[in-house]
Amino acid sequence: MTVRVGVVIAAMNSVEYLDQALGSLATQTVPVDEIVVVDDSSDDNTAAHARRWTSVLPLRVIGTGRRTGIWGGRRAGIAELTTDLVMQLDADDMFAPHHVEVMWEAYTRRPGLVSPRPLTWTGRGPWQQADYPKARFPLPGDQLAQLLCTNYVLVGAMYPRKLYEEIGGYRRTRYGEDWDLWLRLVAAGAMVSKPDEATYVYRVRAASYSSLFDKDVAQTEVLTRFLSACDSPVYRRVAKLALLQRIGPAFTEGLEARPVTAAQELILAEAGLSPERVRAAHADPELGLVVRVGTGAGTDGGEHIAVLGSAPERLVLAGPVCAGGRVEADLIEDETLRRDRSSLRDILR
């Protein structure tokens, strides 16, 4: 390869797993040019453990000085790279021996943001094929719109360092730092592609950083940021549909209340929602009318949310409000904008 590839590993208290991650880099059929391990103020000997590999890998170990989280560790590590491409590896994951080769081939076919296909591993037994619904993305159509609704790019992605720097790189995010980056890369013109073969080994663990959060709520930070910087009516509408599917009734806070017209009542009835049980309706400038409809007796019964678009008046989305307030879209105008909540952990449940 004439294009140089660098790997960044953000690590915190990773002694238990780091040898497997670095060992997988040492056995690549196509070696990488640089590796940076970032010790995010670990309480164990993560940094010293990583330095043991400097004699066999083109490896540098740096520290953050204070605990920053994953976004800060990756940002610091990428700043140390001098390569053309950045490839990510979590400290508890691994690469199959031909991973770099497979990712490079995918990049040469379609330069941009390359998302690996995953294998899963519990730490025991063989690697497993990761067959889960989200893996089918991106579907034909608008990749940015789909990415706003479903983060279908895996953590171990590869992308051009120049474009990463142009969009400002990783930024402080409570949760969803990768998704925030992917959205800005794609909005800046990067096309998402995936190799044909699964080569990124994702370790499935009961306890992880992401298990500390209600992800539906935490992801609102990423979508709200996107909305604050977006002036495209098309993508503002999609981002709001994505937000609505995550937080449900809370989406209507601050919106102006509006009555439901007779024509809109007919659309609700055709969707199986009783106009007599409308609890509230609010207008959003991009989405249209967001209607809350009861499905049980009194205020303690279940609830559906429906979005009614205009010009022409039509049903855009409808579905029940589930635990945590999220909306499961039973009906949706554009199937590519249905949020897919499947995850790699679902495979082993």
Side-chain angles (χ1 to χ4, degrees):
M1 293 187 299
T2 56
V3 175
R4 302 175 71 245
V5 178
V7 175
V8 61
I9 303 174
M12 184 187 74
N13 298 337
S14 301
V15 165
E16 182 178 357
Y17 309 109
L18 198 53
D19 279 345
Q20 290 174 334
L22 293 174
S24 75
L25 283 167
T27 59
Q28 290 299 304
T29 55
V30 175
V32 298
D33 299 283
E34 296 179 19
I35 303 166
V36 176
V37 173
V38 185
D39 176 28
D40 191 18
S41 298
S42 296
D43 300 317
D44 61 10
N45 295 319
T46 290
H49 210 72
R51 289 191 184 96
R52 295 160 52 246
W53 288 87
T54 55
S55 62
V56 294
L57 290 171
L59 172 68
R60 298 194 303 282
V61 181
I62 65 171
T64 56
R66 60 184 178 85
R67 191 158 293 176
T68 63
I70 297 172
W71 74 270
R74 292 207 185 109
R75 182 179 178 91
I78 294 170
E80 289 288 316
L81 291 174
T82 65
T83 55
D84 305 286
L85 297 176
V86 176
M87 185 179 290
Q88 298 186 173
L89 173 61
D90 273 0
D92 57 349
D93 294 340
M94 294 184 292
F95 290 165
H98 56 313
H99 175 76
V100 175
E101 181 179 358
V102 165
M103 292 288 283
W104 168 246
E105 289 173 352
Y107 184 84
T108 57
R109 289 194 300 269
R110 192 173 193 180
L113 175 58
V114 182
S115 173
R117 294 191 185 274
L119 299 160
T120 58
W121 191 47
T122 61
R124 306 177 70 176
W127 301 337
Q128 301 291 331
Q129 290 291 328
D131 182 17
Y132 66 120
K134 192 185 292 185
R136 73 185 189 278
F137 286 95
L139 302 171
D142 191 326
Q143 290 192 346
L144 179 56
Q146 294 174 48
L147 191 59
L148 280 163
C149 291
T150 295
N151 180 13
Y152 54 80
V153 178
L154 198 67
V155 60
M158 183 171 75
Y159 45 87
R161 186 169 62 89
K162 184 175 184 293
L163 184 59
Y164 166 89
E165 291 172 347
E166 288 174 357
I167 65 169
Y170 274 103
R171 55 188 180 180
R172 184 186 298 273
T173 309
R174 182 168 177 260
Y175 176 81
E177 63 285 330
D178 293 316
W179 188 31
D180 177 70
L181 181 66
W182 310 151
L183 285 170
R184 288 180 289 128
L185 286 170
V186 174
M191 294 298 292
V192 180
S193 65
K194 295 183 177 183
D196 297 329
E197 192 173 350
T199 56
Y200 186 92
V201 184
Y202 178 90
R203 187 189 300 265
V204 181
R205 294 194 285 147
S208 68
Y209 179 73
S210 62
S211 67
L212 302 176
F213 302 103
D214 180 336
K215 287 186 282 188
D216 287 321
V217 175
Q219 287 175 357
T220 63
E221 178 185 7
V222 173
L223 291 169
T224 301
R225 272 187 171 180
F226 181 90
L227 281 165
S228 69
C230 177
D231 57 8
S232 163
V234 172
Y235 292 119
R236 288 186 60 81
R237 176 179 174 274
V238 173
K240 287 184 176 183
L241 279 175
L243 193 58
L244 176 68
Q245 290 179 73
R246 286 166 172 80
I247 63 174
F251 179 87
T252 62
E253 293 176 6
L255 297 180
E256 181 182 354
R258 290 281 180 85
V260 180
T261 68
Q264 291 168 334
E265 288 182 346
L266 181 59
I267 294 172
L268 290 174
E270 289 174 346
L273 301 174
S274 172
E276 290 77 21
R277 291 189 171 181
V278 169
R279 294 176 177 174
H282 296 83
D284 179 88
E286 278 92 17
L287 288 187
L289 196 68
V290 182
V291 187
R292 297 172 61 181
V293 185
T295 57
T299 57
D300 295 330
E303 185 171 81
H304 271 60
I305 283 186
V307 177
L308 304 177
S310 59
E313 288 193 332
R314 67 204 188 280
L315 183 70
V316 174
L317 175 149
V321 178
C322 302
R326 73 177 186 274
V327 176
E328 295 291 346
D330 291 336
L331 303 170
I332 192 164
E333 183 179 38
D334 184 345
E335 283 292 332
T336 68
L337 303 185
R338 186 193 302 275
R339 190 215 176 175
D340 193 315
R341 299 183 72 251
S342 66
S343 72
L344 290 167
R345 286 186 177 83
D346 293 336
I347 298 166
L348 299 179
R349 285 177 180 165

